[in-house]
Amino acid sequence: MYLDSKMNESIRKVEAAREANMKLDPRRMTAEEKENLLKTFHPDYREDQFVSLRIGPNKGEKVPTELAALLEGKSRMDGLTVDLTKPDYEADVLIIGGGGAGCSAAIEANENGASVLVVTKLRVGDANTMMAEGGIQAADKPNDSPAQHFLDAFGGGHFAAQKDLLYKLVTEAPEAIQWLSKLGVEFDKAPDGTMITTHGGGTSRKRMHAAKDYSGAEIMRTLRDEVLNRGIPVVDFTSAIELIKDENGRCAGAVLMNMETKELMVAKAKTVILATGGAGRLHYQGFPTSNHYGATADGLVLAYRAGARLLYPDTLQYHPTGAAFPAQIYGALVTEKVRSVGAMLVNANGEVFMNPLETRDVSAASIIRECTERGNGVATPEGYAVWLDTPMIEAKHGAGTIEKRIPAMMRMFAKHGIDIRKEPILVYPTLHYQNGGLKISANGQTDIENLYAAGEVVGGIHGRNRLMGNSLLDIIVFGRNAGKEASEKAKTVQVGELTLSHLSTYNTLRAEAGIDDDKMSPQLLPDYVRKENRGK
């Protein structure tokens, strides 16, 4: 229920144009049009929001200002000591992070006979995986192929993806779907048992597999249950605040901190897997975020300080459709599936201004342009937005389609008096995904021997833009891969004397670069303290 008179006036224009808009097939933009649009309106191109790193493996490269402060920040170990000779935990494989990638890795490492320890700063399953809605891609239908999936993703990522990683992603996708199905994920299926697949932005085939519009939650539920049923040890509400190496420079564990008591502990391991997720809760450029509470770039900070290189740290994904009204759900994800089943984006005048299935970066930039340069946005308490005309879905496919295909979305808005079957919803880009991250090889290892990474903490898989459904896929493919590789490597590892000497090296670099601020990193939790109350 929209009480604002101007919003309701705009809704009437949307309703009046709906029948005509449904007949439209807006053309896709040319490559040149996309390039010009992105350079002008996408947040990744705002030079004043980036700085060059002064120290570390990526010195001289630009990163968001908020991330730079953490990468160049002081270690939380500064002034503290731990006894590295008396570990509190020992395992073959230490997994830092309890989301989809971490759990997938734990299952496969356990399957390979390794002793596994999962450490997570919240609870197992509290992760961006849980927030994913639309689905997971896999080319497993007769009219599709991994080759076609590769071309879609490579082009959608501006031809910047690390080809060996993308090849692994698409070729192992069909088996990943079967693995999840065998574990118990309830994918949407036709009466004959065939999996239902739909389009996503930038896809040339219908290859999106979903569980209604809570696909990530269903996958996370299944993975979490498998980890717990296997009896894999999980230490929750405990953060990794520093990686530990051995005397030979190989990763050999982590310093842990209990989030409540602040007690420090040592975990020793033959191999370590970082599965710490993204960075949305840093709120780059002041954007709202669809991310889970714990997404504060911890893994990037830990690995970078230890000497691991980042790939494309300057590129983020702003999901084009974050909820823009009401304020209680500002920034919450409105799944791309809403568009793939028939809704279109329209401006305040009821006009369709783009093809509904452009890639996410192009869609986000188009919305920003509509609200700024063209002045066709709808005023909201938080700024401006455009309409996502959800009533189109049932006008096209019949009553009951929304409740059947996107029930969680319907419930989220219904809590605030908005019936998306009858009323359009207001959306604006929300900070969604960390395209850049740690550079890894095809076996999942970073630049540091025995340090592996999987999930959103990794860069290069998707290039400079990610297609819908490829993130849930990459946490499975690369989570499983890291679990297999790290557990196999652990069979031959002899850990040397544990050391934190890399911290001294980093402190020297900070001093030489004239960095003397007291910013502690990793951040661990988002900073929502009002500026006037800080220090009180």
PDB file of all heavy atoms in Angstrom, residues 346-381:
ATOM      1  N   VAL A 346      10.134  -0.178 -15.429  1.00  0.00           N
ATOM      2  CA  VAL A 346       9.529   1.006 -16.062  1.00  0.00           C
ATOM      3  C   VAL A 346       9.827   2.227 -15.191  1.00  0.00           C
ATOM      4  O   VAL A 346      10.013   2.123 -13.976  1.00  0.00           O
ATOM      5  CB  VAL A 346       8.001   0.854 -16.259  1.00  0.00           C
ATOM      6  CG1 VAL A 346       7.702  -0.296 -17.214  1.00  0.00           C
ATOM      7  CG2 VAL A 346       7.305   0.599 -14.932  1.00  0.00           C
ATOM      8  N   ASN A 347       9.844   3.401 -15.820  1.00  0.00           N
ATOM      9  CA  ASN A 347      10.157   4.617 -15.068  1.00  0.00           C
ATOM     10  C   ASN A 347       8.900   5.256 -14.489  1.00  0.00           C
ATOM     11  O   ASN A 347       7.803   4.688 -14.557  1.00  0.00           O
ATOM     12  CB  ASN A 347      10.950   5.601 -15.942  1.00  0.00           C
ATOM     13  CG  ASN A 347      10.165   6.066 -17.159  1.00  0.00           C
ATOM     14  OD1 ASN A 347       8.924   6.079 -17.153  1.00  0.00           O
ATOM     15  ND2 ASN A 347      10.881   6.469 -18.202  1.00  0.00           N
ATOM     16  N   ALA A 348       9.054   6.434 -13.920  1.00  0.00           N
ATOM     17  CA  ALA A 348       7.941   7.109 -13.246  1.00  0.00           C
ATOM     18  C   ALA A 348       6.785   7.411 -14.191  1.00  0.00           C
ATOM     19  O   ALA A 348       5.629   7.548 -13.758  1.00  0.00           O
ATOM     20  CB  ALA A 348       8.442   8.407 -12.614  1.00  0.00           C
ATOM     21  N   ASN A 349       7.088   7.488 -15.495  1.00  0.00           N
ATOM     22  CA  ASN A 349       6.054   7.787 -16.486  1.00  0.00           C
ATOM     23  C   ASN A 349       5.416   6.538 -17.081  1.00  0.00           C
ATOM     24  O   ASN A 349       4.614   6.632 -18.008  1.00  0.00           O
ATOM     25  CB  ASN A 349       6.648   8.651 -17.606  1.00  0.00           C
ATOM     26  CG  ASN A 349       7.250   9.928 -17.074  1.00  0.00           C
ATOM     27  OD1 ASN A 349       6.641  10.603 -16.254  1.00  0.00           O
ATOM     28  ND2 ASN A 349       8.458  10.256 -17.530  1.00  0.00           N
ATOM     29  N   GLY A 350       5.804   5.376 -16.562  1.00  0.00           N
ATOM     30  CA  GLY A 350       5.249   4.122 -17.074  1.00  0.00           C
ATOM     31  C   GLY A 350       5.939   3.613 -18.319  1.00  0.00           C
ATOM     32  O   GLY A 350       5.432   2.709 -18.984  1.00  0.00           O
ATOM     33  N   GLU A 351       7.118   4.169 -18.632  1.00  0.00           N
ATOM     34  CA  GLU A 351       7.819   3.804 -19.868  1.00  0.00           C
ATOM     35  C   GLU A 351       8.871   2.723 -19.610  1.00  0.00           C
ATOM     36  O   GLU A 351       9.627   2.794 -18.633  1.00  0.00           O
ATOM     37  CB  GLU A 351       8.522   5.036 -20.447  1.00  0.00           C
ATOM     38  CG  GLU A 351       7.588   6.186 -20.752  1.00  0.00           C
ATOM     39  CD  GLU A 351       8.323   7.509 -20.901  1.00  0.00           C
ATOM     40  OE1 GLU A 351       9.432   7.665 -20.319  1.00  0.00           O
ATOM     41  OE2 GLU A 351       7.780   8.385 -21.584  1.00  0.00           O
ATOM     42  N   VAL A 352       8.913   1.713 -20.480  1.00  0.00           N
ATOM     43  CA  VAL A 352       9.976   0.698 -20.434  1.00  0.00           C
ATOM     44  C   VAL A 352      11.243   1.338 -20.996  1.00  0.00           C
ATOM     45  O   VAL A 352      11.227   1.912 -22.078  1.00  0.00           O
ATOM     46  CB  VAL A 352       9.583  -0.535 -21.271  1.00  0.00           C
ATOM     47  CG1 VAL A 352      10.750  -1.502 -21.368  1.00  0.00           C
ATOM     48  CG2 VAL A 352       8.370  -1.217 -20.667  1.00  0.00           C
ATOM     49  N   PHE A 353      12.350   1.281 -20.269  1.00  0.00           N
ATOM     50  CA  PHE A 353      13.565   1.975 -20.699  1.00  0.00           C
ATOM     51  C   PHE A 353      14.736   1.053 -20.981  1.00  0.00           C
ATOM     52  O   PHE A 353      15.841   1.518 -21.306  1.00  0.00           O
ATOM     53  CB  PHE A 353      13.970   3.032 -19.657  1.00  0.00           C
ATOM     54  CG  PHE A 353      14.212   2.498 -18.273  1.00  0.00           C
ATOM     55  CD1 PHE A 353      15.470   2.083 -17.874  1.00  0.00           C
ATOM     56  CD2 PHE A 353      13.162   2.390 -17.360  1.00  0.00           C
ATOM     57  CE1 PHE A 353      15.691   1.581 -16.606  1.00  0.00           C
ATOM     58  CE2 PHE A 353      13.372   1.901 -16.080  1.00  0.00           C
ATOM     59  CZ  PHE A 353      14.645   1.491 -15.698  1.00  0.00           C
ATOM     60  N   MET A 354      14.541  -0.273 -20.872  1.00  0.00           N
ATOM     61  CA  MET A 354      15.629  -1.206 -21.167  1.00  0.00           C
ATOM     62  C   MET A 354      15.061  -2.612 -21.329  1.00  0.00           C
ATOM     63  O   MET A 354      13.957  -2.907 -20.874  1.00  0.00           O
ATOM     64  CB  MET A 354      16.669  -1.217 -20.049  1.00  0.00           C
ATOM     65  CG  MET A 354      16.101  -1.515 -18.673  1.00  0.00           C
ATOM     66  SD  MET A 354      17.352  -1.934 -17.435  1.00  0.00           S
ATOM     67  CE  MET A 354      17.624  -3.652 -17.848  1.00  0.00           C
ATOM     68  N   ASN A 355      15.836  -3.471 -21.979  1.00  0.00           N
ATOM     69  CA  ASN A 355      15.467  -4.881 -22.048  1.00  0.00           C
ATOM     70  C   ASN A 355      15.593  -5.480 -20.645  1.00  0.00           C
ATOM     71  O   ASN A 355      16.601  -5.268 -19.973  1.00  0.00           O
ATOM     72  CB  ASN A 355      16.382  -5.618 -23.029  1.00  0.00           C
ATOM     73  CG  ASN A 355      15.944  -7.052 -23.264  1.00  0.00           C
ATOM     74  OD1 ASN A 355      16.023  -7.879 -22.381  1.00  0.00           O
ATOM     75  ND2 ASN A 355      15.482  -7.330 -24.466  1.00  0.00           N
ATOM     76  N   PRO A 356      14.576  -6.215 -20.189  1.00  0.00           N
ATOM     77  CA  PRO A 356      14.602  -6.714 -18.802  1.00  0.00           C
ATOM     78  C   PRO A 356      15.682  -7.737 -18.511  1.00  0.00           C
ATOM     79  O   PRO A 356      15.966  -8.017 -17.340  1.00  0.00           O
ATOM     80  CB  PRO A 356      13.206  -7.318 -18.623  1.00  0.00           C
ATOM     81  CG  PRO A 356      12.761  -7.661 -20.003  1.00  0.00           C
ATOM     82  CD  PRO A 356      13.336  -6.600 -20.893  1.00  0.00           C
ATOM     83  N   LEU A 357      16.314  -8.277 -19.552  1.00  0.00           N
ATOM     84  CA  LEU A 357      17.313  -9.318 -19.308  1.00  0.00           C
ATOM     85  C   LEU A 357      18.711  -8.914 -19.779  1.00  0.00           C
ATOM     86  O   LEU A 357      19.507  -9.752 -20.187  1.00  0.00           O
ATOM     87  CB  LEU A 357      16.882 -10.639 -19.962  1.00  0.00           C
ATOM     88  CG  LEU A 357      15.651 -11.303 -19.328  1.00  0.00           C
ATOM     89  CD1 LEU A 357      15.299 -12.591 -20.066  1.00  0.00           C
ATOM     90  CD2 LEU A 357      15.887 -11.596 -17.853  1.00  0.00           C
ATOM     91  N   GLU A 358      18.993  -7.607 -19.696  1.00  0.00           N
ATOM     92  CA  GLU A 358      20.378  -7.178 -19.878  1.00  0.00           C
ATOM     93  C   GLU A 358      21.192  -7.698 -18.694  1.00  0.00           C
ATOM     94  O   GLU A 358      20.653  -8.056 -17.650  1.00  0.00           O
ATOM     95  CB  GLU A 358      20.465  -5.648 -19.927  1.00  0.00           C
ATOM     96  CG  GLU A 358      19.844  -5.013 -21.156  1.00  0.00           C
ATOM     97  CD  GLU A 358      20.717  -5.134 -22.410  1.00  0.00           C
ATOM     98  OE1 GLU A 358      21.741  -5.851 -22.372  1.00  0.00           O
ATOM     99  OE2 GLU A 358      20.356  -4.521 -23.424  1.00  0.00           O
ATOM    100  N   THR A 359      22.519  -7.701 -18.843  1.00  0.00           N
ATOM    101  CA  THR A 359      23.372  -8.144 -17.738  1.00  0.00           C
ATOM    102  C   THR A 359      23.227  -7.186 -16.556  1.00  0.00           C
ATOM    103  O   THR A 359      22.757  -6.054 -16.696  1.00  0.00           O
ATOM    104  CB  THR A 359      24.850  -8.198 -18.176  1.00  0.00           C
ATOM    105  OG1 THR A 359      25.236  -6.922 -18.688  1.00  0.00           O
ATOM    106  CG2 THR A 359      25.054  -9.276 -19.231  1.00  0.00           C
ATOM    107  N   ARG A 360      23.662  -7.635 -15.394  1.00  0.00           N
ATOM    108  CA  ARG A 360      23.411  -6.875 -14.173  1.00  0.00           C
ATOM    109  C   ARG A 360      24.082  -5.506 -14.160  1.00  0.00           C
ATOM    110  O   ARG A 360      23.500  -4.528 -13.688  1.00  0.00           O
ATOM    111  CB  ARG A 360      23.857  -7.695 -12.958  1.00  0.00           C
ATOM    112  CG  ARG A 360      22.890  -8.819 -12.640  1.00  0.00           C
ATOM    113  CD  ARG A 360      23.355  -9.640 -11.471  1.00  0.00           C
ATOM    114  NE  ARG A 360      22.298 -10.556 -11.048  1.00  0.00           N
ATOM    115  CZ  ARG A 360      22.453 -11.468 -10.090  1.00  0.00           C
ATOM    116  NH1 ARG A 360      23.598 -11.558  -9.446  1.00  0.00           N
ATOM    117  NH2 ARG A 360      21.456 -12.262  -9.766  1.00  0.00           N
ATOM    118  N   ASP A 361      25.313  -5.433 -14.639  1.00  0.00           N
ATOM    119  CA  ASP A 361      25.980  -4.131 -14.618  1.00  0.00           C
ATOM    120  C   ASP A 361      25.291  -3.139 -15.535  1.00  0.00           C
ATOM    121  O   ASP A 361      25.108  -1.961 -15.192  1.00  0.00           O
ATOM    122  CB  ASP A 361      27.469  -4.264 -14.954  1.00  0.00           C
ATOM    123  CG  ASP A 361      27.748  -4.987 -16.263  1.00  0.00           C
ATOM    124  OD1 ASP A 361      26.813  -5.549 -16.866  1.00  0.00           O
ATOM    125  OD2 ASP A 361      28.926  -4.989 -16.694  1.00  0.00           O
ATOM    126  N   VAL A 362      24.869  -3.598 -16.705  1.00  0.00           N
ATOM    127  CA  VAL A 362      24.165  -2.737 -17.654  1.00  0.00           C
ATOM    128  C   VAL A 362      22.804  -2.323 -17.093  1.00  0.00           C
ATOM    129  O   VAL A 362      22.392  -1.158 -17.206  1.00  0.00           O
ATOM    130  CB  VAL A 362      24.007  -3.449 -19.017  1.00  0.00           C
ATOM    131  CG1 VAL A 362      23.069  -2.670 -19.944  1.00  0.00           C
ATOM    132  CG2 VAL A 362      25.368  -3.640 -19.671  1.00  0.00           C
ATOM    133  N   SER A 363      22.111  -3.271 -16.472  1.00  0.00           N
ATOM    134  CA  SER A 363      20.806  -2.966 -15.879  1.00  0.00           C
ATOM    135  C   SER A 363      20.941  -1.936 -14.761  1.00  0.00           C
ATOM    136  O   SER A 363      20.158  -0.986 -14.677  1.00  0.00           O
ATOM    137  CB  SER A 363      20.159  -4.248 -15.325  1.00  0.00           C
ATOM    138  OG  SER A 363      19.938  -5.187 -16.346  1.00  0.00           O
ATOM    139  N   ALA A 364      21.930  -2.119 -13.890  1.00  0.00           N
ATOM    140  CA  ALA A 364      22.132  -1.185 -12.786  1.00  0.00           C
ATOM    141  C   ALA A 364      22.454   0.210 -13.305  1.00  0.00           C
ATOM    142  O   ALA A 364      21.895   1.216 -12.830  1.00  0.00           O
ATOM    143  CB  ALA A 364      23.251  -1.681 -11.880  1.00  0.00           C
ATOM    144  N   ALA A 365      23.348   0.285 -14.291  1.00  0.00           N
ATOM    145  CA  ALA A 365      23.714   1.579 -14.858  1.00  0.00           C
ATOM    146  C   ALA A 365      22.522   2.240 -15.551  1.00  0.00           C
ATOM    147  O   ALA A 365      22.364   3.463 -15.500  1.00  0.00           O
ATOM    148  CB  ALA A 365      24.873   1.415 -15.836  1.00  0.00           C
ATOM    149  N   SER A 366      21.678   1.447 -16.190  1.00  0.00           N
ATOM    150  CA  SER A 366      20.485   1.980 -16.867  1.00  0.00           C
ATOM    151  C   SER A 366      19.524   2.612 -15.864  1.00  0.00           C
ATOM    152  O   SER A 366      18.944   3.672 -16.119  1.00  0.00           O
ATOM    153  CB  SER A 366      19.764   0.869 -17.634  1.00  0.00           C
ATOM    154  OG  SER A 366      20.554   0.373 -18.680  1.00  0.00           O
ATOM    155  N   ILE A 367      19.354   1.959 -14.726  1.00  0.00           N
ATOM    156  CA  ILE A 367      18.459   2.494 -13.685  1.00  0.00           C
ATOM    157  C   ILE A 367      19.027   3.785 -13.109  1.00  0.00           C
ATOM    158  O   ILE A 367      18.298   4.769 -12.918  1.00  0.00           O
ATOM    159  CB  ILE A 367      18.240   1.440 -12.578  1.00  0.00           C
ATOM    160  CG1 ILE A 367      17.439   0.257 -13.133  1.00  0.00           C
ATOM    161  CG2 ILE A 367      17.513   2.050 -11.382  1.00  0.00           C
ATOM    162  CD1 ILE A 367      17.356  -0.936 -12.195  1.00  0.00           C
ATOM    163  N   ILE A 368      20.337   3.794 -12.842  1.00  0.00           N
ATOM    164  CA  ILE A 368      20.972   5.006 -12.311  1.00  0.00           C
ATOM    165  C   ILE A 368      20.827   6.159 -13.300  1.00  0.00           C
ATOM    166  O   ILE A 368      20.516   7.295 -12.922  1.00  0.00           O
ATOM    167  CB  ILE A 368      22.450   4.731 -11.970  1.00  0.00           C
ATOM    168  CG1 ILE A 368      22.544   3.745 -10.792  1.00  0.00           C
ATOM    169  CG2 ILE A 368      23.189   6.032 -11.640  1.00  0.00           C
ATOM    170  CD1 ILE A 368      23.953   3.254 -10.500  1.00  0.00           C
ATOM    171  N   ARG A 369      21.031   5.879 -14.592  1.00  0.00           N
ATOM    172  CA  ARG A 369      20.861   6.917 -15.625  1.00  0.00           C
ATOM    173  C   ARG A 369      19.429   7.437 -15.659  1.00  0.00           C
ATOM    174  O   ARG A 369      19.209   8.647 -15.762  1.00  0.00           O
ATOM    175  CB  ARG A 369      21.241   6.363 -16.999  1.00  0.00           C
ATOM    176  CG  ARG A 369      21.014   7.364 -18.136  1.00  0.00           C
ATOM    177  CD  ARG A 369      21.471   6.824 -19.471  1.00  0.00           C
ATOM    178  NE  ARG A 369      20.699   5.671 -19.905  1.00  0.00           N
ATOM    179  CZ  ARG A 369      20.911   5.022 -21.053  1.00  0.00           C
ATOM    180  NH1 ARG A 369      21.896   5.423 -21.854  1.00  0.00           N
ATOM    181  NH2 ARG A 369      20.182   3.981 -21.390  1.00  0.00           N
ATOM    182  N   GLU A 370      18.466   6.530 -15.545  1.00  0.00           N
ATOM    183  CA  GLU A 370      17.058   6.926 -15.611  1.00  0.00           C
ATOM    184  C   GLU A 370      16.705   7.863 -14.451  1.00  0.00           C
ATOM    185  O   GLU A 370      15.903   8.788 -14.605  1.00  0.00           O
ATOM    186  CB  GLU A 370      16.174   5.678 -15.575  1.00  0.00           C
ATOM    187  CG  GLU A 370      14.776   5.880 -16.153  1.00  0.00           C
ATOM    188  CD  GLU A 370      14.766   6.127 -17.648  1.00  0.00           C
ATOM    189  OE1 GLU A 370      15.782   5.841 -18.328  1.00  0.00           O
ATOM    190  OE2 GLU A 370      13.737   6.634 -18.142  1.00  0.00           O
ATOM    191  N   CYS A 371      17.318   7.595 -13.296  1.00  0.00           N
ATOM    192  CA  CYS A 371      17.004   8.390 -12.096  1.00  0.00           C
ATOM    193  C   CYS A 371      17.812   9.674 -11.999  1.00  0.00           C
ATOM    194  O   CYS A 371      17.432  10.582 -11.251  1.00  0.00           O
ATOM    195  CB  CYS A 371      17.242   7.552 -10.838  1.00  0.00           C
ATOM    196  SG  CYS A 371      16.100   6.181 -10.630  1.00  0.00           S
ATOM    197  N   THR A 372      18.924   9.755 -12.733  1.00  0.00           N
ATOM    198  CA  THR A 372      19.783  10.946 -12.618  1.00  0.00           C
ATOM    199  C   THR A 372      19.712  11.788 -13.879  1.00  0.00           C
ATOM    200  O   THR A 372      19.013  12.802 -13.914  1.00  0.00           O
ATOM    201  CB  THR A 372      21.237  10.533 -12.322  1.00  0.00           C
ATOM    202  OG1 THR A 372      21.688   9.591 -13.312  1.00  0.00           O
ATOM    203  CG2 THR A 372      21.351   9.903 -10.949  1.00  0.00           C
ATOM    204  N   GLU A 373      20.386  11.374 -14.914  1.00  0.00           N
ATOM    205  CA  GLU A 373      20.465  12.185 -16.140  1.00  0.00           C
ATOM    206  C   GLU A 373      19.097  12.452 -16.760  1.00  0.00           C
ATOM    207  O   GLU A 373      18.787  13.575 -17.171  1.00  0.00           O
ATOM    208  CB  GLU A 373      21.364  11.506 -17.167  1.00  0.00           C
ATOM    209  CG  GLU A 373      21.524  12.302 -18.455  1.00  0.00           C
ATOM    210  CD  GLU A 373      22.343  11.556 -19.498  1.00  0.00           C
ATOM    211  OE1 GLU A 373      21.791  10.660 -20.159  1.00  0.00           O
ATOM    212  OE2 GLU A 373      23.545  11.879 -19.620  1.00  0.00           O
ATOM    213  N   ARG A 374      18.245  11.439 -16.799  1.00  0.00           N
ATOM    214  CA  ARG A 374      16.956  11.584 -17.476  1.00  0.00           C
ATOM    215  C   ARG A 374      15.853  12.114 -16.568  1.00  0.00           C
ATOM    216  O   ARG A 374      14.795  12.531 -17.056  1.00  0.00           O
ATOM    217  CB  ARG A 374      16.539  10.234 -18.084  1.00  0.00           C
ATOM    218  CG  ARG A 374      17.465   9.776 -19.207  1.00  0.00           C
ATOM    219  CD  ARG A 374      17.056   8.436 -19.776  1.00  0.00           C
ATOM    220  NE  ARG A 374      17.860   8.073 -20.931  1.00  0.00           N
ATOM    221  CZ  ARG A 374      17.772   6.905 -21.575  1.00  0.00           C
ATOM    222  NH1 ARG A 374      16.897   5.984 -21.159  1.00  0.00           N
ATOM    223  NH2 ARG A 374      18.526   6.656 -22.628  1.00  0.00           N
ATOM    224  N   GLY A 375      16.075  12.051 -15.260  1.00  0.00           N
ATOM    225  CA  GLY A 375      15.101  12.606 -14.337  1.00  0.00           C
ATOM    226  C   GLY A 375      13.761  11.895 -14.318  1.00  0.00           C
ATOM    227  O   GLY A 375      12.729  12.502 -14.004  1.00  0.00           O
ATOM    228  N   ASN A 376      13.779  10.595 -14.600  1.00  0.00           N
ATOM    229  CA  ASN A 376      12.529   9.830 -14.675  1.00  0.00           C
ATOM    230  C   ASN A 376      12.347   8.885 -13.494  1.00  0.00           C
ATOM    231  O   ASN A 376      11.633   7.888 -13.596  1.00  0.00           O
ATOM    232  CB  ASN A 376      12.472   9.029 -15.983  1.00  0.00           C
ATOM    233  CG  ASN A 376      12.370   9.925 -17.197  1.00  0.00           C
ATOM    234  OD1 ASN A 376      11.755  10.990 -17.135  1.00  0.00           O
ATOM    235  ND2 ASN A 376      12.973   9.503 -18.305  1.00  0.00           N
ATOM    236  N   GLY A 377      13.014   9.150 -12.387  1.00  0.00           N
ATOM    237  CA  GLY A 377      12.875   8.297 -11.218  1.00  0.00           C
ATOM    238  C   GLY A 377      11.679   8.684 -10.371  1.00  0.00           C
ATOM    239  O   GLY A 377      11.110   9.779 -10.502  1.00  0.00           O
ATOM    240  N   VAL A 378      11.297   7.771  -9.495  1.00  0.00           N
ATOM    241  CA  VAL A 378      10.212   7.994  -8.546  1.00  0.00           C
ATOM    242  C   VAL A 378      10.841   8.410  -7.219  1.00  0.00           C
ATOM    243  O   VAL A 378      11.709   7.705  -6.701  1.00  0.00           O
ATOM    244  CB  VAL A 378       9.371   6.714  -8.349  1.00  0.00           C
ATOM    245  CG1 VAL A 378       8.229   6.973  -7.366  1.00  0.00           C
ATOM    246  CG2 VAL A 378       8.840   6.208  -9.684  1.00  0.00           C
ATOM    247  N   ALA A 379      10.413   9.536  -6.668  1.00  0.00           N
ATOM    248  CA  ALA A 379      10.979  10.011  -5.408  1.00  0.00           C
ATOM    249  C   ALA A 379      10.572   9.102  -4.258  1.00  0.00           C
ATOM    250  O   ALA A 379       9.408   8.727  -4.123  1.00  0.00           O
ATOM    251  CB  ALA A 379      10.521  11.439  -5.134  1.00  0.00           C
ATOM    252  N   THR A 380      11.558   8.720  -3.429  1.00  0.00           N
ATOM    253  CA  THR A 380      11.317   7.910  -2.233  1.00  0.00           C
ATOM    254  C   THR A 380      12.000   8.603  -1.056  1.00  0.00           C
ATOM    255  O   THR A 380      12.817   9.511  -1.264  1.00  0.00           O
ATOM    256  CB  THR A 380      11.900   6.491  -2.377  1.00  0.00           C
ATOM    257  OG1 THR A 380      13.335   6.561  -2.244  1.00  0.00           O
ATOM    258  CG2 THR A 380      11.548   5.859  -3.720  1.00  0.00           C
ATOM    259  N   PRO A 381      11.739   8.181   0.176  1.00  0.00           N
ATOM    260  CA  PRO A 381      12.416   8.786   1.325  1.00  0.00           C
ATOM    261  C   PRO A 381      13.932   8.641   1.279  1.00  0.00           C
ATOM    262  O   PRO A 381      14.663   9.421   1.887  1.00  0.00           O
ATOM    263  CB  PRO A 381      11.823   8.022   2.519  1.00  0.00           C
ATOM    264  CG  PRO A 381      10.474   7.584   2.051  1.00  0.00           C
ATOM    265  CD  PRO A 381      10.657   7.267   0.607  1.00  0.00           C
TER     266      PRO A 381
END
